[in-house]
Amino acid sequence: RPQKARMGGSQSKGLKRKELEELHKRTHFTIEQIQDLYRHFKSISSSVSDDGVIDKKEFQQALGLQDSLFVDRMFKLFDCNSDGGINFTEFICGLSVFCPNGTLEEKLRFSFDIYDFDHDGHISKKELHMMLEASLVENHMSLSEHQIQALVEATFKEADSDGDGLIDFEEYRQMVQKHPSMIKNMTISDLGGASMGGAQ
């Protein structure tokens, strides 16, 4: 497959100081953490095809997840330019949300966007239903169609405060504030040796 555009031209030589400083400004990582994460990126991006980007298969394997709708949604959120590969800038910016210094707002937005398939600023019952099914598959859990539908209805009954049949971002924020465990898995303190604690 054709080589994708990469940050800094030839990534085999590493990142330039200016690139490191720019990524440091855009993310919650220190220069040292970015350098560590660059080594992880190089390893992941060459695990299936050594093309300088992380494709969906490499992404899935790195996360240790099944090929599922959940992986697809996560991949699409990291692949900001929708070119089918995650370059280093996209990788670092995506991971920055998950580090301990990632803001609540960033975590809320990212998690909301996982559910908002069509990017219309709302979560529909269908979108929630699809993600619940995908999460159950990913976690080797099973609920009947009736149970899934009941969960969707209960979620909407609680969250859809204006009764329009959709959950907008503010309604989602209020629901997460009542149930902070919804985003508890959105903080990673260690990424394979690249300690995330105390990143400034």
Side-chain angles (χ1 to χ4, degrees), residues 2-200:
Q3 292 271 14
K4 302 255 190 323
R6 301 176 223 154
M7 180 173 186
S10 173
Q11 289 194 344
S12 62
K13 296 178 182 168
L15 297 168
K16 297 178 181 150
R17 186 77 191 168
K18 184 177 178 183
E19 293 168 330
L20 286 167
E21 289 170 0
E22 180 62 31
L23 288 171
H24 173 64
K25 288 178 192 169
R26 289 180 61 185
T27 68
H28 300 288
F29 296 121
T30 65
I31 299 284
E32 295 75 25
Q33 289 168 332
I34 293 168
Q35 290 170 323
D36 286 344
L37 288 167
Y38 181 71
R39 286 188 278 280
H40 288 293
F41 173 83
K42 292 297 290 173
S43 174
I44 296 167
S45 67
S46 63
S47 64
V48 173
S49 176
D50 193 1
D51 57 1
V53 294
I54 297 173
D55 63 29
K56 187 177 165 196
K57 186 74 175 165
E58 290 164 332
F59 186 75
Q60 172 199 336
Q61 288 176 352
L63 292 175
L65 299 173
Q66 303 174 50
D67 188 11
S68 68
L69 180 64
F70 179 74
V71 170
D72 189 53
R73 293 298 302 144
M74 290 285 290
F75 184 81
K76 285 180 177 170
L77 291 177
F78 271 76
D79 182 19
C80 297
N81 63 4
S82 302
D83 67 355
I86 299 169
N87 64 35
F88 185 64
T89 300
E90 292 169 325
F91 178 72
I92 283 292
C93 291
L95 282 180
S96 182
V97 172
F98 294 92
C99 79
N101 288 343
T103 67
L104 176 61
E105 186 70 18
E106 290 169 327
K107 293 174 194 304
L108 283 168
R109 178 54 63 188
F110 192 95
S111 62
F112 180 84
D113 288 346
I114 289 174
Y115 293 98
D116 184 15
F117 285 70
D118 58 9
H119 312 293
D120 68 351
H122 299 92
I123 300 169
S124 68
K125 288 182 180 182
K126 180 180 178 185
E127 289 169 327
L128 179 58
H129 190 281
M130 290 167 56
M131 279 309 298
L132 282 173
E133 284 182 325
S135 296
L136 290 168
V137 168
E138 196 59 58
N139 291 295
H140 308 288
M141 297 171 67
S142 177
L143 291 177
S144 71
E145 181 62 29
H146 176 74
Q147 290 170 314
I148 294 171
Q149 194 57 42
L151 190 52
V152 168
E153 292 301 327
T155 301
F156 268 75
K157 184 176 181 184
E158 177 179 353
D160 182 19
S161 58
D162 64 8
D164 66 352
L166 299 166
I167 298 172
D168 65 29
F169 185 70
E170 279 310 309
E171 291 170 328
Y172 180 77
R173 177 197 306 276
Q174 290 170 16
M175 187 172 63
V176 171
Q177 287 172 340
K178 290 181 202 168
H179 307 283
S181 64
M182 288 177 61
I183 61 168
K184 73 176 179 355
N185 292 331
M186 293 202 60
T187 300
I188 302 171
S189 58
D190 182 67
L191 185 65
S195 176
M196 299 302 140
Q200 296 291 326

